[in-house]
């Protein structure tokens, strides 16, 4: 249901916050949960549901999309048999992805790390370019230099919460920051 809603309703101008990002977050949630030893099938089901809903708010708004996604989840998920406790957990995971991220438990840590997993991956620069195009379209950034400065600041302030992502992603994330800083020294606005 949610994938069909995203496919039908997301703007093509969302070059980063697309169905591909949602599916990537879903995949990374599953990977990180496995590496963190989460084996409870019901907890994994809730995590995967939160991953699918975490950016559905983009169907209606750009700013405050997490809160809008939370409301959509609370509106639609009861029809699928989710209990009040399940909804509370899913809602907590969705809202934890708001920046700055503030996870309060392991499942929220996992979805937060999955949401920004790309920062420490080999495909960082191609994914970051998609976000740059999206933010430029929204008039949230003007130049590549301005974008690079924003990324350096963001990466330096970001931290992974799970041990597995700290080990797997932090070294490459640090290297990406160094490359961006070096590029800033070479460029002029």
């Amino acid at each position: 249901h949610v994938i069909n809603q995203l496919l039908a309703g997301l703007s093509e101008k969302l070059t980063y916050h697309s169905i591909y990002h949602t599916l990537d977050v879903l995949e990374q949630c599953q990977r990180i949960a496995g590496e963190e030893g989460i084996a409870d099938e019901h907890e994994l089901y809730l995590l995967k549901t939160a991953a699918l809903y975490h950016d559905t708010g983009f169907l209606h708004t750009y700013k405050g999309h997490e809160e809008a996604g939370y409301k959509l989840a609370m509106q639609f998920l009861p029809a699928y048999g989710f209990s009040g406790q399940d909804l509370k957990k899913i809602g907590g995971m969705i809202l934890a992805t708001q920046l700055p991220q503030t996870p309060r438990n392991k499942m929220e840590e996992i979805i937060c790390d999955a949401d920004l997993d790309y920062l420490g991956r080999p495909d960082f620069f191609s994914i970051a370019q998609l976000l740059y195009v999206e933010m430029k379209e929204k008039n949230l950034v003007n130049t590549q230099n301005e974008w690079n400065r924003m990324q350096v600041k963001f990466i330096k302030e970001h931290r992974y919460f799970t041990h597995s992502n700290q080990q797997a992603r932090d070294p490459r994330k640090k290297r990406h920051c160094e490359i961006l800083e070096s590029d800033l020294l070479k460029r002029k606005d």
Side-chain angles (χ1 to χ4, degrees):
H1 170 79
V2 70
I3 290 172
N4 289 335
Q5 294 295 312
L6 293 171
L7 286 170
L10 284 178
S11 167
E12 291 178 12
K13 294 180 181 179
L14 295 176
T15 52
Y16 171 79
H17 290 103
S18 66
I19 187 70
Y20 302 107
H21 170 69
T22 297
L23 295 175
D24 182 56
V25 172
L26 175 63
E27 180 181 335
Q28 299 312 319
C29 277
Q30 293 175 96
R31 176 190 60 79
I32 297 167
E35 291 174 359
E36 292 291 311
I38 306 297
D40 182 277
E41 288 299 319
H42 187 69
E43 290 297 306
L44 289 170
Y45 183 60
L46 299 180
L47 177 65
K48 291 189 284 188
T49 302
L52 288 171
Y53 268 92
H54 88 284
D55 276 349
T56 55
F58 281 111
L59 291 166
H60 302 290
T61 186
Y62 199 83
K63 187 174 183 180
H65 71 273
E66 296 93 352
E67 182 69 32
Y70 166 83
K71 289 177 182 175
L72 286 170
M74 298 306 108
Q75 176 185 348
F76 288 106
L77 291 177
Y80 291 93
F82 288 91
S83 71
Q85 185 64 23
D86 290 343
L87 294 174
K88 184 176 179 182
K89 288 179 181 181
I90 291 167
M93 286 185 264
I94 292 168
L95 294 175
T97 65
Q98 290 176 307
L99 297 176
Q101 295 177 325
T102 55
R104 298 167 301 165
N105 58 50
K106 180 59 77 178
M107 302 306 277
E108 291 178 11
E109 289 177 352
I110 291 169
I111 196 169
C112 285
D113 281 5
D115 194 25
L116 295 173
D117 185 71
Y118 83 99
L119 294 174
R121 291 195 325 226
D123 57 354
F124 165 76
F125 288 101
S126 61
I127 292 174
Q129 185 63 26
L130 295 173
L131 185 54
Y132 170 64
V133 169
E134 181 178 304
M135 291 183 72
K136 195 166 170 105
E137 169 68 29
K138 296 285 183 185
N139 294 312
L140 298 172
V141 67
N142 296 308
T143 67
Q144 186 69 48
N145 245 12
E146 180 184 355
W147 172 239
N148 286 352
R149 283 192 297 274
M150 287 173 64
Q151 287 191 100
V152 166
K153 182 179 186 302
F154 186 80
I155 291 171
K156 285 184 173 183
E157 292 173 356
H158 172 264
R159 74 177 197 87
Y160 287 116
F161 298 99
T162 62
H163 177 73
S164 56
N165 255 36
Q166 289 167 357
Q167 297 297 309
R169 302 296 191 225
D170 271 340
R172 183 169 269 136
K173 182 180 78 166
K174 182 180 178 195
R175 179 68 184 127
H176 292 152
C177 192
E178 292 167 354
I179 291 168
L180 290 168
E181 287 178 313
S182 175
D183 191 51
L184 281 169
L185 292 174
K186 295 175 192 171
R187 288 178 179 257
K188 301 262 191 240
D189 262 335

